[in-house]
């Protein structure tokens, strides 16, 4: 029997991955807020470098209370809204439900687990440039991969089925060690998100000046060392990964990181899970990420002084 | 016989200290650029918290070639213009001339000495809030002390006479160990100059948010540790000096640090002597000022991307 999906947060991430699954024939139920009326009437439009598509019939809801219990819940909210989950999730859960946290940073699964001790939780890291550009309208500019890992899945078969469903929908999804996958994504997120906000700029400009390019690399190396220390030997990220990330970003379509978009729209910044928690985890393992900490402090000031 | 003074750079600093000396009857020759015509005709106006005064007869010059040799040269240029000194100084020098570098940062005397190996050089650290607000017009808002130290004075008597002249003119000047005095000033300059530019803000706002207040203190402590390491036991700055600087700044009249003013007016920033040289000196002594280095990198990016 095929899995029934719910998407919480039908934006740049949830609209894209949920949209891909729905288009491939999977049963997907979407929670919407301000876009509800528009999507109910006009459906969901995805403009994608991999091919545009339109979903005319969308299972759209205003509240999770109206949604059916689902096998897989894709949480695609900003992590700054995670406190909503304790109220949003219960109607969607049956005893075997798997919640997949498609969010950046470190510690989102641990925090959700304290609220729902028996819940099966996994995490997902989206490697995608996408944006919600209007009601029910998603622009997908580049990439699209999704790295997935178990946090507390009793039944790994379901997780493998999710990966298979995504692959069948044209999403390059794969299973990885979650802790390592989260840290690897941080190697990109920490420098580019923070510095584009603090220095009010774009990734390509940062790479076009030797001082900021060196700083990007310093920050990446600090995150890699924090990761390896915190991993305690369970995994190792090679320091050459920093150069790979710089190289990859150089070939990227010019793009504002999500935190910069949040900042420009005066939305709360995901400082806690992208900066504070990794700093704390590395410190617990005896490694002080001094420059990451400085960036965190600058971001907290910036957020309080738009 | 009383000393003959020259002032190179008749701005917020040179106009104030030179003005005070001239007002007290000392012979002071001022080098002016854009303000020359105005000052020649109208003199120099100092609005000061310690009492306004006006100098109607000013020894004003357009070029040092027209100036007489002097006993003491107060260099009050921005350190970003120091390459001009090799051409500006020679007409002012006699065998006993003392050049007093009233500039922030580390290494200005060493660099000048390589150009003039036999020159007697001292350094001065101005603790003053002042600004040039118009042609021949200086506003002095707060403080006014001048810490002076010998770099390569063969004749310390002259230096003591300079201090006496300044004190007699109403300037709170004193003799200190120059290296220690320069580092102590950096404890203030490094955090406030850099962070107000990078975060586009003011010292009081930085102190009104716990994250940036903690960052100010982190940076101060890093400078103090760099200083003590680099001092190699010749002097020690106590770590409690950081709290003293925070406390002092809290009671300061709201004010933009000189680097922020430079940035706002699109002038070159004094990154080299305030950041790069101290970072290098500490590194030579085996201490890495990681956060100061990050601030330097951010400033270099900012300066290239107004």
């Amino acid at each position: 029997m095929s899995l029934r999906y719910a998407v919480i947060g039908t934006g740049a991430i949830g609209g894209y991955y949920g949209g891909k699954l729905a288009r491939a024939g999977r049963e997907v139920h979407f929670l919407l807020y301000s876009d509800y009326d528009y999507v109910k009437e006009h459906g969901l439009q995805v403009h994608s470098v991999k091919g545009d598509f339109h979903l005319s019939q969308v299972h759209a809801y205003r509240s999770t209370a109206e949604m059916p219990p689902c096998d897989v819940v894709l949480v695609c909210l900003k992590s700054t809204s995670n406190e909503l989950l304790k109220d949003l999730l219960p109607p969607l859960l049956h005893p075997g439900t798997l919640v997949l946290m498609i969010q950046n940073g470190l510690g989102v699964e641990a925090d959700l687990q304290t609220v729902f001790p028996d819940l099966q939780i996994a995490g997902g890291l989206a490697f995608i440039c996408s944006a919600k550009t209007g009601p029910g309208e998603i622009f997908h500019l580049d990439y699209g991969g999704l790295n997935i890992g178990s946090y507390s899945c009793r039944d790994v078969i379901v997780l493998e089925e999710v990966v298979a469903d995504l692959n069948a929908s044209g999403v390059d999804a794969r299973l990885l060690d979650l802790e390592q996958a989260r840290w690897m994504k941080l190697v990109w997120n920490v420098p580019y998100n923070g510095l584009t906000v603090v220095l009010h700029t774009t990734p390509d400009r940062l790479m076009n000046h030797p001082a900021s390019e060196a700083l990007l690399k310093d920050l990446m190396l600090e995150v890699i060392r924090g990761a390896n220390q915190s991993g305690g030997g369970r995994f190792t990220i090679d320091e050459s990964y920093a150069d790979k990330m710089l190289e990859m970003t150089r070939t990227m379509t010019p793009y504002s990181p999500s935190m910069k978009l949040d900042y420009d729209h005066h939305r709360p910044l995901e400082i806690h899970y992208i900066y504070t928690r990794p700093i704390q985890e590395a410190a617990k393992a005896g490694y002080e990420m001094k420059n990451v900490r400085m960036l965190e402090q600058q971001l907290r000031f910036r957020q309080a002084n738009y």
Side-chain angles (χ1 to χ4, degrees), chain A:
Chain A
M1 232 188 68
S2 66
L3 299 170
R4 179 191 278 164
Y5 289 87
V7 172
I8 298 190
T10 308
I13 303 293
Y16 179 73
Y17 292 116
K20 292 287 264 189
L21 286 165
R23 186 199 180 210
R26 300 299 179 279
E27 183 182 335
V28 187
H29 301 267
F30 293 88
L31 178 70
L32 292 129
Y33 296 98
S34 52
D35 291 4
Y36 172 81
D37 290 328
Y38 186 91
V39 170
K40 195 76 193 167
E41 191 176 348
H42 303 282
L44 200 64
Q45 175 67 45
V46 179
H47 303 279
S48 169
V49 285
K50 301 198 174 174
D52 298 354
F53 63 91
H54 183 261
L55 301 171
S56 47
Q57 294 297 322
V58 173
H59 300 295
Y61 305 85
R62 255 187 238 277
S63 154
T64 54
E66 301 154 17
M67 294 167 77
C70 290
D71 305 306
V72 181
V73 180
L74 308 183
V75 173
C76 304
L77 298 170
K78 291 271 170 197
S79 63
T80 46
S81 299
N82 278 7
E83 61 189 43
L84 301 175
L85 292 174
K86 66 176 187 300
D87 298 320
L88 289 177
L89 282 180
L92 301 171
L93 305 180
H94 62 62
T97 300
L98 169 73
V99 173
L100 179 59
M101 305 288 281
I102 307 183
Q103 298 183 323
N104 289 315
L106 217 61
V108 290
E109 295 87 3
D111 286 355
L112 186 64
Q113 196 82 79
T114 44
V115 184
F116 299 95
D118 298 323
L119 188 65
Q120 297 195 87
I121 307 178
L125 285 307
F127 288 82
I128 188 168
C129 299
S130 62
K132 190 165 89 74
T133 46
E137 184 184 61
I138 314 293
F139 260 85
H140 169 224
L141 305 165
D142 211 351
Y143 301 94
L146 190 60
N147 287 345
I148 293 175
S150 168
Y151 181 75
S152 58
C153 297
R154 291 178 297 275
D155 181 6
V156 182
I157 307 280
V158 181
L159 204 54
E160 285 168 353
E161 213 179 324
V162 172
V163 169
D165 278 354
L166 285 162
N167 287 334
S169 308
V171 172
D172 180 22
R174 67 188 76 190
L175 276 178
L176 288 167
D177 176 80
L178 181 61
E179 194 186 352
Q180 176 171 8
R182 289 214 162 278
W183 275 107
M184 288 180 87
K185 183 85 191 279
L186 285 169
V187 174
W188 195 92
N189 271 326
V190 164
Y192 287 103
N193 277 290
L195 289 179
T196 53
V197 170
V198 167
L199 297 174
H200 239 296
T201 190
T202 55
D204 56 310
R205 282 189 174 212
L206 289 173
M207 284 186 298
N208 281 338
H209 191 279
S212 43
E213 191 194 16
L215 177 54
L216 285 168
K217 185 162 175 179
D218 287 352
L219 286 163
M220 286 180 181
L221 289 173
E222 209 173 87
V223 175
I224 291 173
R225 285 163 198 156
N228 290 338
Q229 198 85 2
S230 157
R234 289 188 301 280
F235 59 83
T236 305
I237 304 172
D238 196 88
E239 297 204 350
S240 65
Y241 188 62
D243 286 322
K244 273 189 210 147
M245 285 296 98
L246 285 166
E247 216 35 68
M248 181 207 69
T249 313
R250 237 179 273 287
T251 62
M252 237 164 100
T253 313
Y255 176 72
S256 277
S258 61
M259 189 174 279
K260 179 63 162 61
L261 295 172
D262 288 339
Y263 182 77
D264 291 342
H265 292 89
H266 289 213
R267 294 188 293 247
L269 308 181
E270 299 187 289
I271 301 173
H272 180 74
Y273 290 110
I274 297 182
Y275 294 88
T276 314
R277 289 292 276 269
I279 290 165
Q280 289 170 347
E281 290 305 312
K284 268 189 226 164
Y287 183 71
E288 218 186 332
M289 299 201 293
K290 288 192 85 165
N291 286 350
V292 177
R293 166 102 175 109
M294 173 161 161
L295 196 49
E296 180 214 21
Q297 291 166 318
Q298 292 181 322
L299 287 168
R300 291 204 180 276
F301 175 81
R302 263 280 157 116
Q303 174 159 262
N305 293 269
Y306 276 109

